[in-house]
Amino acid sequence: MDTRHIEEALRMVRDEKLDIRTTTIGLSLLDCMDTDIERVAEKVYQKAVNVAGNLVETANRIGRRYGVPIINKRVAVTPIAIIGEPTGADDYTPIAIALDKAAKEIGIDFIGGFSAICQGGMSSADETLIRSLPHALAVTDRVCASVNVGNSRQGLNMDAVKLLGSTIKDVAEATKDQDSFGCVKLVVFANAVEDNPFMAGAFHGISQPERVLHVGVSGPGTVKSALEKHREADFQTMIEVIQQTAFKITRMGELIGKEVADEMGLTFGSIDLSLAPTPAVGDSVARILEEIGIGEAGGHGTTAALALLNDAVKKGGLMASTHVGGLSGAFIPVSEDEGMFKAAERGTLTIDKLEAMTCVCSVGLDMIAIPGDTPASTISAMIADEAMIGIINSKTTAARLIPVVGKTVGDTAEFGGLLGSAPIMPVHNNDASAFIERGGRIAAPVHSFKN
């Protein structure tokens, strides 16, 4: 990065809310496996603290060196369903408590990996983890969970989808005094990736190095500011502006990420290009779409504008790094994006439109608050819809649905901080229970036979 790029990056930090959204250590816990769950919990705590204990201090120091804030410091671990299986335990909450304790000791906001990977079917350990979720997420503050229920090679595990519908309801009930906050920390994936630095879905895949650092950059405000200077431009010019901006953001992110990794003795993994919004005004993906010219997020043209944005960000970022990974696109979480919140509150942005938008962006139905009395079968059906978009299109999709106990359409759920607040959005009142009760697995699409 030459002097001009550094100066421009500093201006972006000062004026356009540019930051490094997260540095996330991926940590293997395979050497923590044991037949006794209490010994597993102690090993997990000790390893997380020993490896990541100086993450916050190191990231803050390097951020100050370059004048670029690193907002979140996090850890993602090997899926706990794998680590817990040899114990034969019927509840993995002790491991969740150990992870939570480690996160607080390290000083990070979230630790991910209380997860199960069960696209082909559930092992007894996968089922144990899922059934542990209501208790585990209720008694911990910083533990995040995820379950991968499908992929493009194996199809969709509808038994897991069914179980998760009722489990999400149980998590909501267990944390009802916090607007069902436990559901904020639970993501259901299709085609989950192993190098995702963003919570709540991060986990450390078993094909990853022992200890690795992933970086997630952001910059919605920077992209919007760049587009404001070209309001009369044609599409080709506008796309070039987005690509150039993404290039600069990615170069800065990789430079800082590699320094953090080097100082901590970690392998540098990948940089995730995703535009990740916050509730702050000026840091919204929705406002970028409106700057492109659609009027209001959710209106006609939104999906096309989002596709354009996502593709341009990826093309610009790919030229700036040899280690692009994660999800790399644009996130559209309703509660974490003030523009999305406003559009959803007015009814312009609906769940159906969000589902369409997920065909062309990162992740999926993200941070969606729905009525607390939504049936479990409806939640499962929403997960199935979102998962099949990913499976058919060979992309990552996910659902982070929050049935807020005691609230309904017209109310607002409050989650606080970067998680923001969300209007309770209406869902369809059809009965999907007969569909969900069939069980088994939806077969993979025909393109899964490529090898």
Side-chain angles (χ1 to χ4, degrees), residues 95-252:
I95 303 177
I97 291 171
L99 290 169
D100 198 54
K101 180 182 175 184
K104 291 172 180 175
E105 176 70 21
I106 297 164
I108 55 178
D109 60 340
F110 287 121
I111 187 165
F114 198 75
S115 306
I117 311 300
C118 54
Q119 58 270 9
M122 286 185 290
S123 68
S124 59
D126 295 328
E127 188 168 345
T128 295
L129 184 127
I130 294 171
R131 295 191 185 279
S132 300
L133 288 169
H135 186 206
L137 295 179
V139 299
T140 59
D141 299 314
R142 307 187 189 191
V143 172
C144 288
S146 61
V147 182
N148 193 73
V149 296
N151 68 20
S152 297
R153 297 287 294 190
Q154 294 172 284
L156 179 59
N157 180 352
M158 289 298 293
D159 292 327
V161 169
K162 175 186 174 182
L163 178 57
L164 281 160
S166 58
T167 300
I168 289 169
K169 292 278 287 184
D170 292 341
V171 172
E173 181 65 30
T175 55
K176 63 182 178 182
D177 58 336
Q178 302 171 280
D179 275 352
S180 300
F181 182 77
C183 298
V184 169
K185 302 185 292 176
L186 171 58
V187 183
V188 183
F189 277 115
N191 288 321
V193 296
E194 296 187 335
D195 57 351
N196 170 19
F198 288 108
M199 298 295 171
F203 64 88
H204 183 68
I206 59 173
S207 70
Q208 294 286 299
E210 168 81 11
R211 305 171 182 186
V212 64
L213 185 84
H214 302 299
V215 174
V217 296
S218 185
T222 304
V223 174
K224 182 178 184 298
S225 179
L227 290 177
E228 287 172 352
K229 300 178 179 67
H230 298 82
R231 284 182 168 159
E232 305 303 319
D234 61 14
F235 281 114
Q236 286 80 6
T237 303
M238 184 176 60
I239 289 168
E240 187 173 338
V241 168
I242 297 171
Q243 289 174 345
Q244 290 173 349
T245 304
F247 179 90
K248 295 168 189 173
I249 294 170
T250 305
R251 290 289 282 176
M252 182 191 69

Side-chain angles (χ1 to χ4, degrees), residues 19-25 55-56 59-60 69-75 107-110 197-199 213-216 218 260 276-278 336 417-419:
D19 55 49
I20 305 298
R21 188 53 49 89
T22 182
T23 52
T24 301
I25 293 178
L55 172 61
V56 174
N60 285 342
I70 300 175
I71 303 301
N72 300 303
K73 300 86 178 174
R74 294 163 172 174
V75 173
I108 55 178
D109 60 340
F110 287 121
F198 288 108
M199 298 295 171
L213 185 84
H214 302 299
V215 174
S218 185
V260 174
T278 73
E336 298 175 26
L418 288 175
L419 298 169

